[in-house]
Amino acid sequence: MKKILLLTITLMLALALPLYAEEYEAYVIQDGDTLYNIAQNYGTTVDEIIVINPELENPDLIVTGSEVKLPAGGSQSEEAFNLFKKKDAPVDESIQKNSEAEKVLELVNAQRAENGLKPLAVSKELTKMAKEKCEDMSQNNYFGHDSQKNGRITNILAQKKIKYQIVGENLARNFQSADKVFEAWMKSDSHRTNILHKDFDQTGIYYLQTETGSYWVQNFIDAE
């Protein structure tokens, strides 16, 4: 039987969702500024700045003395803002990744129940794979299904000798809560297909918060 691979990906800047309040504040680019350090200082992200400043065709080329719009008051909570400001502050991953990943699972299984589908069981191996995928994207500064180091999810499953007929992978970046990432996935046909696929019965979910953003991975398989 032919194996099927379903890959879906979500970036905050690719969503047709209301990401910001209507009010912005202007910031004048200073000598030595980068979008990254501006984002850190204002408690936002580079992706968010690009979305509300579409004229920035090349984010690596910003002109001293020009203005960019920033979310008024920052787009994140005070706690998140302080975390971005304190580069050396440790991130309590044991709280963040577990609670948010568990929340995603609750939302996914509740949605599956509403559609008459069986709940997904948590696979330790798929969860480990999701964790490694988050870390790989963060450490190697990329976002996508193809890893130069590990290949695609199908390559990893083959290496680990995990049997399946259908596999799916949902990715997202720079969402600050399980509710937001789930909402975005459900508004995307491809992500929703994975979440509500009748044949999937196992999943692994991981959430990783870093200084440069957050990463979300959910793996799906039908275990043979």
Side-chain angles (χ1 to χ4, degrees):
M1 182 181 296
K2 184 182 292 184
K3 293 185 177 180
I4 301 173
L5 172 63
L6 304 171
L7 300 178
T8 50
I9 187 168
T10 299
L11 278 164
M12 279 201 74
L13 58 83
L15 294 176
L17 296 175
L19 301 180
Y20 308 104
E22 292 297 323
E23 295 182 358
Y24 307 109
E25 56 185 85
Y27 174 81
V28 178
I29 304 295
Q30 305 297 311
D31 188 34
D33 271 346
T34 65
L35 289 189
Y36 174 70
N37 63 37
I38 294 172
Q40 282 196 313
N41 291 337
Y42 276 78
T44 184
T45 67
V46 172
D47 286 343
E48 290 175 325
I49 294 175
I50 293 172
V51 168
I52 59 176
N53 293 274
E55 69 278 5
L56 294 175
E57 296 182 0
N58 186 346
D60 294 325
L61 296 177
I62 55 176
V63 180
T64 300
S66 62
E67 290 188 354
V68 293
K69 297 190 294 291
L70 299 174
S75 64
Q76 299 175 328
S77 66
E78 182 178 354
E79 291 80 4
F81 175 77
N82 289 335
L83 175 63
F84 273 77
K85 289 284 285 183
K86 298 176 182 178
K87 290 186 178 181
D88 299 327
V91 177
D92 189 353
E93 291 183 4
S94 64
I95 295 175
Q96 292 190 4
K97 67 172 183 288
N98 289 334
S99 62
E100 293 301 309
E102 289 172 3
K103 179 65 173 177
V104 171
L105 179 64
E106 291 175 4
L107 293 168
V108 166
N109 279 339
Q111 190 68 49
R112 287 177 65 88
E114 287 184 14
N115 286 269
L117 300 171
K118 61 188 176 184
L120 299 175
V122 175
S123 160
K124 290 183 179 180
E125 198 62 51
L126 292 181
T127 301
K128 182 180 178 182
M129 287 171 55
K131 175 179 182 291
E132 291 170 350
K133 178 67 173 180
C134 284
E135 293 172 342
D136 182 38
M137 289 191 292
S138 173
Q139 293 168 6
N140 293 292
N141 193 32
Y142 80 99
F143 181 63
H145 296 289
D146 294 297
S147 165
Q148 291 187 354
K149 177 182 177 182
N150 301 314
R152 287 197 164 198
I153 186 173
T154 49
N155 303 113
I156 302 171
L157 289 168
Q159 183 181 21
K160 294 179 178 293
K161 299 181 179 180
I162 298 176
K163 295 181 179 180
Y164 67 94
Q165 290 297 328
I166 305 175
V167 57
E169 181 182 62
N170 282 359
L171 304 180
R173 183 180 181 185
N174 290 341
F175 289 84
Q176 299 304 318
S177 72
D179 291 317
K180 291 297 185 183
V181 75
F182 178 74
E183 179 184 6
W185 281 346
M186 289 302 294
K187 288 188 176 182
S188 161
D189 289 341
S190 53
H191 293 85
R192 182 184 176 91
T193 295
N194 279 345
I195 289 170
L196 298 179
H197 200 295
K198 64 181 181 62
D199 293 326
F200 286 145
D201 54 17
Q202 291 193 12
T203 191
I205 309 168
Y206 200 83
Y207 161 68
L208 177 66
Q209 176 69 55
T210 73
E211 292 178 357
T212 57
S214 59
Y215 297 85
W216 303 78
V217 175
Q218 181 170 18
N219 296 324
F220 310 81
I221 64 168
D222 65 329
E224 291 184 341

